[in-house]
Amino acid sequence: MALKISTTLEPFALLTLIHEIEAKLNRERKIHWGPRTIDIDIIFYGELELNENNLVIPHKEVFNRLFVLIPLLELLDKNSKYFSKIEEAVTRLKATTQTVQVVPEEKSAKNRIEQAVYEILAAVGENPEREGLQETPERVAKMYAEILSSERLSKFEEYKLFKIEPAEVDQTILIKDIPFYSMCEHHMLPFFGKVHVAYIPQYGNIIGLSKIPRLVDYVSHKLSVQENITREIAEILNEILQPKGVAVVAEARHMCVEMRGVKKNNSLTKTSFFLGEFNKDINKRMEFLGEIS
């Protein structure tokens, strides 16, 4: 995709902003010059020419990439000093093995969900066109975007770490009764309840208290099972903080148990996961369990 933008930023300031955007979009690249999940480049900057270690304008590969040049022809004014050079490069590259294929526009995720819900309504014997259901596909699509908002995220980043004076005696930090809502990956029915999280700081490293509920939301806002949610909360917190120990207990009601199948109303499922001192020291583990009971 090629875009033409107007900006007041100088080239290096624009490059810094681009790198920040790539980071927020979870850019990953395993090897240099290898494939990456997102790549944004400055191709031209007006008619400026620049050759620095971190920035070359025009981009040094632009006249060797047919898939870049063809969309650029649609954007650049014919009076641009680069226009004829681009045309020449396109003619040259078309005689090589490089090809460009126009891909039909894909439906957005929202539109695909709306169409699927419409088909489900018809399949179960409903009339999707009746007054009460006409806006249901759109409502369901918006709902999924909210309650499954972590599906397209690859990493938890909504946190901030702080320093405190390390204590001579282990200090346990506990947040209990954190509400959570998730969707079962087996039947796509809700399960919900509360999570209790505790950790023992190491080297004076602590996390903002509000970030632990955010972590619970991050882990639970996708299709999952309770066992995985419990484990992932503990493992992510352990990776971020490197504490002496982490303890997580989740308890929830599952609509796939209560609404279908065995239909056991108000049944409660409890899961736990312990790392570090909470896993090795039964006294610490029992103290944590006593605090949340």
Side-chain angles (χ1 to χ4, degrees):
M1 180 187 297
L3 298 174
K4 184 177 181 179
I5 66 171
S6 298
T7 179
T8 58
L9 296 175
E10 295 297 324
F12 281 99
L14 179 60
L15 183 64
T16 299
L17 177 62
I18 285 172
H19 288 165
E20 291 173 357
I21 293 171
E22 288 178 331
K24 290 180 179 178
L25 292 173
N26 301 306
R27 171 187 165 112
E28 292 183 9
R29 182 173 67 175
K30 304 296 184 183
I31 58 173
H32 190 58
W33 291 113
R36 62 221 73 177
T37 52
I38 185 75
D39 188 32
I40 307 174
D41 290 312
I42 301 174
I43 307 299
F44 299 113
Y45 187 96
E47 297 191 348
L48 176 70
E49 294 186 2
L50 188 66
N51 193 344
E52 300 286 345
N53 288 334
N54 297 327
L55 184 59
V56 177
I57 301 176
H59 192 283
K60 57 186 176 182
E61 290 296 323
V62 62
F63 297 108
N64 297 320
R65 298 288 185 264
L66 188 62
F67 71 89
V68 174
L69 295 173
I70 288 182
L72 281 175
L73 279 178
E74 299 180 11
L75 295 178
L76 287 185
D77 189 281
K78 290 187 177 181
N79 295 323
S80 166
K81 71 176 184 178
Y82 300 115
F83 192 84
S84 60
K85 189 175 180 180
I86 291 176
E87 284 187 315
E88 293 170 4
V90 167
T91 301
R92 171 175 56 84
L93 293 172
K94 281 184 175 180
T96 69
T97 57
Q98 291 193 37
T99 59
V100 173
Q101 178 181 354
V102 178
V103 178
E105 183 178 355
E106 292 186 5
K107 291 182 178 180
S108 68
K110 180 174 180 291
N111 287 339
R112 291 170 64 190
I113 294 172
E114 289 176 5
Q115 182 177 351
V117 173
Y118 187 98
E119 292 297 325
I120 290 171
L121 289 172
V124 299
E126 265 289 359
N127 174 16
E129 297 296 338
R130 72 174 174 84
E131 183 178 356
L133 293 177
Q134 287 178 359
E135 297 180 9
T136 296
E138 182 180 4
R139 293 191 190 100
V140 173
K142 289 180 178 178
M143 175 194 70
Y144 280 144
E146 179 180 351
I147 65 178
L148 301 178
S149 58
S150 294
E151 285 286 359
R152 298 181 184 274
L153 301 178
S154 61
K155 193 174 182 181
F156 176 64
E157 296 181 330
E158 288 191 75
Y159 67 89
K160 187 173 182 179
L161 302 184
F162 300 92
K163 279 281 189 181
I164 60 172
E165 286 295 325
E168 294 183 5
V169 179
D170 286 345
Q171 177 185 20
T172 299
I173 297 173
L174 165 66
I175 300 184
K176 54 190 267 187
D177 297 329
I178 303 169
F180 83 96
Y181 305 86
S182 192
M183 294 281 281
C184 170
E185 64 185 34
H186 298 149
H187 299 96
M188 291 186 68
L189 285 172
F191 63 98
F192 56 91
K194 53 188 178 182
V195 177
H196 315 288
V197 181
Y199 70 93
I200 302 171
Q202 184 165 229
Y203 310 124
N205 295 325
I206 63 171
I207 189 171
L209 292 178
S210 66
K211 307 312 177 188
I212 293 179
R214 287 184 185 273
L215 172 58
V216 172
D217 286 345
Y218 167 80
V219 173
S220 60
H221 284 186
K222 57 186 175 182
L223 295 176
S224 190
V225 294
Q226 184 175 331
E227 295 87 342
N228 286 344
I229 286 177
T230 310
R231 174 181 52 80
E232 287 177 23
I233 292 170
E235 290 180 341
I236 293 174
L237 189 59
N238 190 60
E239 179 183 354
I240 291 170
L241 275 176
Q242 296 297 307
K244 291 183 179 180
V246 177
V248 178
V249 167
E251 45 191 275
R253 291 175 58 189
H254 292 249
M255 294 302 100
C256 59
V257 173
E258 298 192 26
M259 293 177 64
R260 56 160 302 281
V262 294
K263 297 181 181 177
K264 298 299 182 184
N265 293 338
N266 297 315
S267 60
L268 197 65
T269 301
K270 287 192 177 185
T271 50
S272 60
F273 198 86
F274 304 103
L275 292 171
E277 292 296 321
F278 287 108
N279 188 43
K280 294 184 293 185
D281 189 332
I282 190 171
N283 292 326
K284 283 187 170 61
R285 185 160 69 250
M286 295 307 296
E287 180 183 350
F288 163 73
L289 294 173
E291 288 287 345
I292 66 173
S293 60

